[in-house]
Amino acid sequence: AALLGGLLVGFGLWHVADAALSHWLLGLHRIRLDGESPLASDLGWLAAFGLVPVAAGWPLLRRRGPGAPGSAIAVLAALSIGAGLW
């Protein structure tokens, strides 16, 4: 459960960072350019692929069972974020 939590949090945080940096601060790309409201598409994507996975994964990270070392889970979450950035 903790491994899944780390993966979900890493996946979600990558999408939050991507939305903030690529979509809004740097203006590199949008989710839908042809839509009436590109911001609405960006916000929907952020919610579905950023906030929901973080919200689902966070409780799994907090609920450690036997044999689930916190440092290994933190490393997996960081690797997931780093792979997305790369």
Side-chain angles (χ1 to χ4, degrees):
L3 174 62
L4 177 62
L7 292 173
L8 284 170
V9 169
F11 178 83
L13 287 178
W14 156 244
H15 282 286
V16 169
D18 177 54
L21 294 173
S22 298
H23 301 186
W24 303 325
L25 292 177
L26 299 175
L28 297 178
H29 68 92
R30 303 304 290 258
I31 297 301
R32 289 189 59 198
L33 292 174
D34 60 345
E36 291 182 22
S37 176
L39 180 60
S41 298
D42 287 349
L43 291 174
W45 186 271
L46 172 69
F49 293 101
L51 302 179
V52 169
V54 170
W58 190 255
L60 296 174
L61 278 177
R62 307 267 308 150
R63 181 181 54 171
R64 284 196 222 143
S71 59
I73 301 304
V75 168
L76 286 172
L79 285 174
S80 179
I81 294 168
L85 288 172
W86 178 67

